[in-house]
Structure formats: C-alpha cells, structure tokens
Amino acid sequence: MDSDALGVVLVTGGAGFIGCALSSRLARRAERWVVLDNLHPQVHADRARPDALHPAAELVVGDVTDAAAWDDLLREVRPDTVLHLAAETGTAQSLYEATRHASVNVVGTTTMLDAFSRADRVPSRLVLSSSRAVYGEGEWQRDDGTVYRPGQRTHAQLERAQWDFEGARAIPSEAARTQPEPTSVYGATKLAQEHILAAWAGSHDVALTILRLQNVYGPGQSLTNSYTGIVSLFSRLARAGESIPVYEDGLITRDFVYIEDVVAAFDAALRTAATDAPVRFDIGSGTATTIQELATVIADFHRAPAPHLTGAFRDGDVRFAACDLGRTAAALPWVPEWDLARGVAGLQDWIAAQP
Ligand SMILES: NC(=O)c1ccc[n+]([C@@H]2O[C@H](COP(=O)([O-])OP(=O)(O)OC[C@H]3O[C@@H](n4cnc5c(N)ncnc54)[C@H](O)[C@@H]3O)[C@@H](O)[C@H]2O)c1
C-alpha cells in the first residue's frame, strides 16, 4: 500500500456532519470507504442517504449497538482502519437521557470491539473522534499562581448568577497535562470510549489515535438538530433578522474550529506513523472566543440587531473550553487555517445555498 493509500476504511457514524466532510476529502484515497450509520432521526430528519456523503462511500444502515448488524458487516468488510464517530452527542440532553448516551457511546463501542473479535478481524488502526467535553472545566489558576481543578458549577451557584470561579482564570486544556473531569454525561461517555479503546488497542497491538475535538462548525452541520451546533443556531436567528439571545453574562468561552481544519487533522493523524501507545491530540482553532463575540460576528455579518444577554443558564454548561495546540502542532503535520470571521462567512454562504 503506498503511503497515501488508506486501504479499507470503516467509518462508524460516517453519514453525520464530520463523517460526510471526511468522505469528501478521503474516500477516494481508500480501497473501500464503508460507513456504518443508523441515520439517527435527530440528525437525519428524512432518514435518507445525505447528499454530502461522497458517492464512493458505501453506506450500511445499521446501529453500532446491534451485534448482528456488526457480524453481517464484518463478514463482507475487512477494515484496515476504523474511524469511530458514531455517538449520541447532546451535551445538555445527556443529563436527562443518560442511558441513551451510555448505550450508544459506551456499549456501542464495546459491541464493535467484540464483533472484531468474533470476526477475527483486528484493524491495524483506530481513530476515535473524542471531545473536549472530557475535560469539563479543566484547570484554572488562582491569583496566587496555584493551579487547581474547580470541578463543576452547581445549580445553586448559577442561580446566584455567579458565573465564574472567583479569584481564578481558566487555562486552555492540553491532553498531556490536563486531567479529564467531565461535567456532562456525554463527556463521561466520551472519556469511557477513550479508556475502553486504549485498553483494547493496547492488548491487540492496534495503533490508536484519539482526537479531542473542540466545537466544530461549518457547512454540512445540521440546521434542524436543535441539540447541537450553536453556530448554526445563531446563524439561523441572525439571518431571520432576530437579535441573538446570549446566556449568562456572554462570557462563556469556547474554541470554534472549522470543519475543513478538522478534516485536515484526521488526514494528518492518518498520515502520521503508528505508535504503540495511544496518542491524544487536542484539535481546535487554538483561539478562545466568548459566546458574545461569536454572536456579534454572526449578527454583524447579517446586519441583524445586536445580540442581547438573557442571564439564562444551562446546568452542566462549562464556563470555559479552549485548548493549547502546542503539542498537537509539534506532533502532527497540521495547523488550523480558518479563523472565526472566515469560517462564519463560509458557513453563511453554505446556509444561503440550502433549499
Ligand atoms: N461536532 C462537534 O462539535 C464535535 C465535537 C467534539 C466531538 N465530536 C464527536 O465527533 C463525532 C461525530 O460528530 P458529528 O458532529 O459528526 O455528529 P453527527 O450527529 O452529525 O453525526 C453522528 C452520526 O452518528 C450516527 N449515529 C448516531 N447513533 C448511532 C448508532 N447508534 N449507530 C450508528 N450510527 C449512529 C448519526 O446518524 C450521525 O450520522 C461524535 O463522536 C462526536 O462525539 C463532535
């Protein structure tokens, strides 16, 4: 196989936002690009094959928690590389639909691994699409310089409108340094996926790459799934000429990374030599952006009224999530290329072209 060829690639959840974008860049380089996806109704309102899925992709409609579906698939497909994307992804939703998230994200992952054992097919490479949600609030630094993990903001604290951890400021997360401490069930299931795959890959000599993605946005993101995609949601409001409502004091902070940069990061990870130990990379823009700033960029683009603060909050929302890309950039042939203004413009153009 030449260094550019990908062999047989299996992508779980490969008909979703990130999976379709990956197919458009990578499917042609694969001997086969096979997608296992149940076309989840919350993501695929029409339950149809997405137009954005590359024509070379073979779509198998099935559920990652269904052992029989896996056995049928692996009788016919012998994957060299597995990109594991299938997941329930509702961070807030996971607090009241915990079992659904655990079933797909945790049991779906172990069901996949058991199927590889039954089929006697161990892929040589596994890539997990993990999340910054594993960090929870991450690390903060007090005024006296000491670093600590503040844990979770309580409901009572948020009701008092005490948004920050007083006398401290957040530090961008970094996989080699920041201890994970999820504050959502979703984040806990993504961390469980990491641990399960690391344990399994280690004892089967499988190269495992874990990409901890920050907030991904861009063309192809669902405009109808109200549980994900704040950039899409804000864009819809501003396009309709409405003022965007912003939670808390507007200073919740995220790292918004454009889909093209995420696809390039997967590509870079696949081009990087396999190692024995699992590797974890933070994938983001490297820039911390407040929600107020994001809302303003989008409102300005559409000449919509200025965003307004509501003081509302959501339990389980972390105050600050951004990453330090130093180690990722040193280890992968990759740096993000899209800044927020250009990415937001790219998304608006795509939205405008939608039926
Ligand atoms: N989009 C982001 O900002 C972001 C950030 C961090 C991590 N991630 C991770 O990246 C991965 C892909 O996210 P996305 O944004 O493309 O989400 P998405 O919802 O667009 O895609 C997920 C895909 O998985 C499929 N799926 C869901 N449950 C399934 C099941 N039981 N069996 C088979 N397929 C199933 C869905 O139909 C969908 O096509 C997920 O693992 C998510 O946790 C995404």
Side-chain angles (χ1 to χ4, degrees), residues 36-175:
L36 176 66
D37 196 301
N38 69 349
L39 301 179
H40 192 307
Q42 193 169 298
V43 186
H44 305 272
D46 57 1
R47 309 302 303 274
R49 178 186 172 111
D51 292 343
L53 186 60
H54 193 278
E58 304 167 47
L59 172 62
V60 176
V61 179
D63 195 305
V64 285
T65 63
D66 180 351
W70 274 110
D71 289 344
D72 288 348
L73 176 76
L74 292 175
R75 256 193 294 280
E76 207 261 313
V77 179
R78 312 293 285 173
D80 302 301
T81 295
V82 174
L83 311 182
H84 189 35
L85 273 60
E88 292 279 356
T89 62
T91 308
Q93 204 179 10
S94 72
L95 290 174
Y96 54 91
E97 293 197 61
T99 307
R100 182 146 79 90
H101 282 73
S103 166
V104 173
N105 301 0
V106 181
V107 180
T109 299
T110 55
T111 306
M112 170 178 77
L113 298 179
D114 288 345
F116 292 152
S117 299
R118 280 195 303 279
D120 197 17
R121 181 66 197 189
V122 174
S124 51
R125 186 151 215 166
L126 266 167
V127 180
L128 173 65
S129 190
S130 189
S131 169
R132 52 134 289 265
V134 301
Y135 293 122
E137 287 290 358
E139 292 178 332
W140 287 56
Q141 187 165 35
R142 298 189 186 90
D143 292 341
D144 65 9
T146 52
V147 172
Y148 76 117
R149 298 208 307 278
Q152 186 163 10
R153 299 183 301 169
T154 63
H155 181 79
Q157 174 184 348
L158 294 173
E159 270 204 329
R160 289 194 302 274
Q162 191 189 324
W163 311 123
D164 266 317
F165 298 101
E166 262 166 41
R169 60 187 174 79
I171 303 173
S173 297
E174 205 279 299

Side-chain angles (χ1 to χ4, degrees), residues 223 231-232 235-236 239 302 346-355:
L223 297 174
V231 187
S232 296
S235 302
R236 266 192 359 228
R239 273 174 64 79
H302 290 289
L347 175 64
Q348 310 312 308
D349 290 347
W350 177 78
I351 293 175
Q354 297 313 295

Side-chain angles (χ1 to χ4, degrees), residues 244-289:
I244 299 168
V246 177
Y247 283 7
E248 301 187 10
D249 57 354
L251 301 182
I252 294 178
T253 299
R254 294 289 181 269
D255 177 329
F256 295 100
V257 57
Y258 197 62
I259 184 67
E260 288 295 321
D261 281 331
V262 172
V263 171
F266 272 83
D267 189 5
L270 290 172
R271 289 175 191 272
T272 303
T275 59
D276 291 342
V279 281
R280 293 177 171 79
F281 294 119
D282 297 288
I283 304 297
S285 69
T287 302
T289 301

